[in-house]
Amino acid sequence: MILELDCGNSFIKWRVMPRAGGGSAIAGGVVDNSEELIAALADRFSEQLSDCRLVSVRADEETRLLSGALSARFSMRCRVAESAPMLAGVRNGYEDYKRLGLDRWLALVGAYSLTHGACLVVDLGTAITSDFVDANGQHLGGFICPGMPLMRSQLLTHTRRIRYDSVAAEHARDSLVPGHSTAEAVERGCSLMLRGFVNTQLELARQQCGADVVVFLTGGDAAMAAEWVPAARVVPDLVFIGLAIACPLTGE
């Protein structure tokens, strides 16, 4: 079995795939740190994991320690995805290709592999990123802005009178009419800012890539954004698709 990891700034997403290529994930989850990851895997896959591939936006030393801990505990190889000027027909559009976040790079490579045409990739997580790829596989650049969690956190941290719990936040998102409570005003305001950003990306994508551009949504808030972009493809594991391309394993 193959362990795949997406090590973001806040969480580690994991999934276990069958050794043979294709198929659905056998198991998966999200953990806060490497200790929780190893504990979760040891409960079910103590002697069944043969290989690991991972993408990490964390410090090199932290990534090295994680790889070493996994290799020691499960006696398996760990391959770490690296930046590249070109991969699977996609040309990195950054002036310094190594400065493009690996999660963004693999997501756009994964998207292009699914459509082999112009695409827009919007990753809606703690931060929101968007990347444009033309029909020839040229990465045209992208944008980064705060996502819902960051927008909410900044208001709660820097505005003394803004206080509400998660239950109030969930109910507040049921509508986008003007809010009649602090929770409604904040949650709906942040949602509208997110909606405005996504709509702007769609307009830019059509200008940059043509009317036939395929829109991919991924990340924690992708389902919410999909309500505003009915034609978009929601692909939660887009980074993992790119990871498999960047780190192929023998026997898949």
Side-chain angles (χ1 to χ4, degrees):
M1 297 179 184
I2 300 170
L3 173 64
E4 297 182 333
L5 303 176
D6 177 4
C7 305
N9 291 305
S10 302
F11 305 103
I12 299 175
K13 300 175 186 176
W14 65 274
R15 71 177 190 178
V16 173
M17 301 295 291
R19 184 69 197 181
S24 302
I26 298 169
V30 179
V31 294
D32 290 329
N33 52 57
S34 58
E35 291 78 12
E36 289 185 12
L37 172 65
I38 291 175
L41 295 171
D43 285 342
R44 297 182 58 183
F45 306 103
S46 59
E47 298 180 357
Q48 302 173 43
L49 300 174
S50 58
D51 289 282
C52 170
R53 55 187 167 209
L54 67 91
V55 53
S56 175
V57 298
R58 303 185 175 195
D60 291 344
E61 179 64 11
E62 187 175 356
T63 302
R64 186 187 67 78
L65 289 173
L66 172 60
S67 298
L70 288 169
S71 296
R73 175 61 181 81
F74 299 104
S75 301
M76 63 180 176
R77 300 176 297 166
C78 285
R79 291 196 58 188
V80 181
E82 298 180 352
S83 300
M86 186 167 182
L87 177 64
V90 181
R91 290 180 296 280
N92 194 312
Y94 260 31
E95 294 177 0
D96 179 357
Y97 73 88
K98 294 181 180 179
R99 300 295 295 174
L100 176 63
L102 273 169
D103 51 349
R104 289 173 62 193
W105 172 237
L106 294 185
L108 65 92
V109 167
Y112 190 77
S113 75
L114 295 176
T115 184
H116 294 291
C119 54
L120 164 66
V121 179
V122 184
D123 188 338
L124 301 107
T126 303
I128 302 173
T129 63
S130 65
D131 285 283
F132 304 79
V133 183
D134 70 15
N136 297 315
Q138 178 62 54
H139 174 223
L140 303 177
F143 297 94
I144 304 173
C145 73
M148 283 286 288
L150 275 180
M151 286 191 282
R152 182 187 300 115
S153 174
Q154 287 298 301
L155 285 170
L156 293 173
T157 301
H158 297 289
T159 309
R160 296 191 180 196
R161 289 185 174 272
I162 293 183
R163 294 290 183 272
Y164 56 89
D165 59 25
S166 59
V167 175
E170 183 175 352
H171 288 303
R173 292 192 291 269
D174 291 341
S175 169
L176 287 179
V177 301
H180 292 275
S181 69
T182 298
E184 291 179 353
V186 170
E187 293 297 320
R188 295 173 188 179
C190 290
S191 293
L192 286 172
M193 290 188 71
L194 177 60
R195 183 172 185 171
F197 178 83
V198 171
N199 287 336
T200 300
Q201 301 313 295
L202 292 176
E203 295 174 8
L204 288 172
R206 293 182 181 118
Q207 294 170 14
Q208 297 282 325
C209 305
D212 295 331
V213 63
V214 180
V215 180
F216 289 89
L217 301 177
T218 191
D221 286 320
M224 177 173 62
E227 298 177 8
W228 314 324
V229 193
R233 296 176 62 175
V234 178
V235 185
D237 295 329
L238 198 53
V239 171
F240 285 134
I241 294 173
L243 177 60
I245 295 171
C247 298
L249 301 170
T250 57
E252 283 188 283

